[in-house]
Every structure is written in structure tokens, then in C-alpha cells.
Amino acid sequence: MTGMNAVEVHGLNKYFKAHHAVADVSFTVPAGGSLGIVGESGSGKTTIARMLIGLERPSSGTIAVMGRDRSRPARSGSERNARARELQIVFQDPYTSLDPSQSARAAVDEVLRHHGGLSSAERASRLDELVDQVGLTDRQAHARPRDLSGGQRQRVAIARALAARPKVLVLDEAVSALDVSIQAQILNLLADIRAETGLAYLLISHDLAVVRQLCDTVLVLRRGRVVEQGDCGHVLDDPQEEYTRALREAVPVPGWTVGA
């Protein structure tokens, strides 16, 4: 595996009982690049995300993040921590992953403490930086999840992911539960963060307009198989496959811009 790519996936397969969920999928995400994996429900895209973060084990094929093989479960706590520092995920609904008794600041600080290496002064400074980076006000940062909107909770989830200083961020339908105007704000935030940090993004989505706004390249999945992949503009402007054309026709927003 080359160190030039943030993510390398080769010949990935996942079988469940009587169901081939992911069939011979291969892709790369260069360091600092962004790939969108799109498809309707049941296409296998979330199964790929779960294999990347270690929640599912591949039936066959290889996964590497920053050159480190992830095809098998981590063997130790230190290996799990090392993997977490390489790749983090932001889910569709952050509410389930946030402790209802913790403020937003405390939730982010928990990750900073876990990954260690900072003095208390450095940690406080980094915490302020993260809260500011994701656009939370001081009042919001001291609020608990139930007192925050869906968009604000997603900002907390992004700050928690960034706290581990990963090289790759997986965004699993991270804006699909938000209304369009809030979607646009979060997508702009994510674009700014990528520009500032050089993070690589792997975006899992059913929404081609979202992929268009955030990704350089796109991979279209249908029933676990790659239908089409390539440069985002080429695939979305001139799709070669009927399935991709059907997905594009389903996008209700003119001009491919979220919030237009």
C-alpha cells in the first residue's frame, strides 16, 4: 500500500446470510482528497463505511488507511487508538452518540482527554479552537444536546471527530436529516475545514447535490456493485449508466446547488 493515498480499498466483499451486500468494490481517496459514495438505500454504501471504521469485518478484500491495513480487527487498545487518530466518522444522527448529561464542550473535551498528549492549558486552548472552528457560540458550547438544534448537534459531532486529529473523515449521511438551509451551512463548514486542514473526506450519501458540493470524485453503487466512478463533474454532468441518470433525475434542486 502506498502512503500517498489516505484510503485504499481493493476487491472488497461483504456477505451476509443469502445477501452479497458489497461485491468486489475498489477505490482510493488521495491524501486531502474527497470521494462521494452514492446509491439508494440498500446499495451497500453504509456497509462500506462500517467496514472502514471496524464495525463490520470484510468477507474478503483489503482496506488500508494511511497505509495501515484495516482488513482485520484491531488487536489492542493502542492499535484502536492509532486507528481513531487516522480516521473518524460523523453519523447521520449525532444525538445517539452524545451523552445527554454532558455539555457540548465537555463532549469534545472527553475526546481530547482520551487521546492525551496535551497539558491542561494546551487542552483548554485546543478546545476553544475546535468550538470556534465548527461555529458554535459560547452559549451553545455550554448547552446540553437536548437544548441544541440538529445542525448544532452535528457541529458538536464534527468537533469531536476533529479532536482526534484524524487524516480521514467519513461522513455517513451527515447532513441528510437536516433541512436544506442548515444542510448548506454544514456543507460550507465542512468545505472550509477541509481547505484549512487538508483532511480527506469520504462522503456516504444518497444525494447527488450534496456529493457535487463536497467531493472531487464519485463512486455510484447499486446492489453492492460499482456502476460508475470518476471525476464528480464528469459523472454527474454526463452519466454513462442508466442507473446514475435515474439518480440524477431524482435530484429536485436546479443547478446542483444545495439551498439554491
Side-chain angles (χ1 to χ4, degrees):
M1 299 287 180
T2 170
M4 292 300 291
N5 287 318
V7 181
E8 290 195 15
V9 169
H10 293 289
L12 194 63
N13 286 278
K14 180 64 181 178
Y15 296 92
F16 295 108
K17 286 180 183 175
H19 177 45
H20 198 172
V22 176
D24 196 30
V25 170
S26 299
F27 60 84
T28 59
V29 185
S34 59
L35 168 70
I37 299 182
V38 299
E40 61 198 345
S41 180
S43 62
K45 57 190 188 297
T46 292
T47 302
I48 291 173
R50 288 173 65 82
M51 286 191 280
L52 277 165
I53 62 173
L55 289 177
E56 296 283 359
R57 187 172 176 175
S59 301
S60 64
T62 59
I63 298 170
V65 176
M66 304 310 296
R68 187 196 301 264
D69 180 57
R70 286 183 173 232
S71 308
R72 292 176 175 79
R75 290 185 294 272
S76 65
S78 61
E79 190 179 346
R80 275 193 298 276
N81 283 341
R83 289 185 179 191
R85 285 189 291 272
E86 291 164 353
L87 180 145
Q88 286 282 313
I89 187 165
V90 177
F91 291 104
Q92 178 177 344
D93 180 12
Y95 198 68
T96 54
S97 62
L98 296 174
D99 183 337
S101 68
Q102 277 186 329
S103 69
R105 278 184 72 90
V108 178
D109 191 40
E110 181 180 49
V111 180
L112 292 174
R113 286 174 185 271
H114 178 73
H115 287 286
L118 298 176
S119 69
S120 56
E122 287 169 336
R123 207 175 71 239
S125 173
R126 177 71 178 140
L127 184 54
D128 287 340
E129 187 183 302
L130 285 163
V131 165
D132 184 59
Q133 189 173 24
V134 300
L136 289 170
T137 66
D138 191 56
R139 185 191 66 75
Q140 290 162 357
H142 285 90
R144 289 180 170 77
R146 67 174 179 271
D147 299 318
L148 296 173
S149 68
Q152 289 159 0
R153 287 197 290 266
Q154 201 58 286
R155 290 173 190 270
V156 178
I158 293 166
R160 275 172 61 87
L162 295 175
R165 292 191 185 273
K167 299 292 190 295
V168 183
L169 199 58
V170 177
L171 301 156
D172 187 5
E173 298 281 13
V175 297
S176 64
L178 305 173
D179 72 48
V180 172
S181 62
I182 304 300
Q183 265 193 23
Q185 291 174 22
I186 298 297
L187 288 170
N188 288 336
L189 170 68
L190 289 166
D192 290 346
I193 288 168
R194 183 178 163 224
E196 289 165 18
T197 64
L199 261 174
Y201 283 172
L202 201 158
L203 175 68
I204 309 289
S205 182
H206 66 280
D207 189 333
L208 291 178
V210 167
V211 170
R212 178 62 168 260
Q213 188 159 336
L214 209 57
C215 298
D216 305 325
T217 55
V218 63
L219 180 153
V220 182
L221 272 185
R222 185 184 191 195
R223 295 176 186 163
R225 295 185 181 278
V226 178
V227 172
E228 196 164 355
Q229 67 187 117
D231 174 81
C232 221
H234 291 156
V235 172
L236 300 185
D237 288 339
D238 186 24
Q240 300 303 300
E241 297 296 325
E242 187 178 339
Y243 179 71
T244 311
R245 289 196 290 271
L247 282 181
R248 193 177 80 159
E249 292 303 314
V251 175
V253 186
W256 296 98
T257 355
V258 174

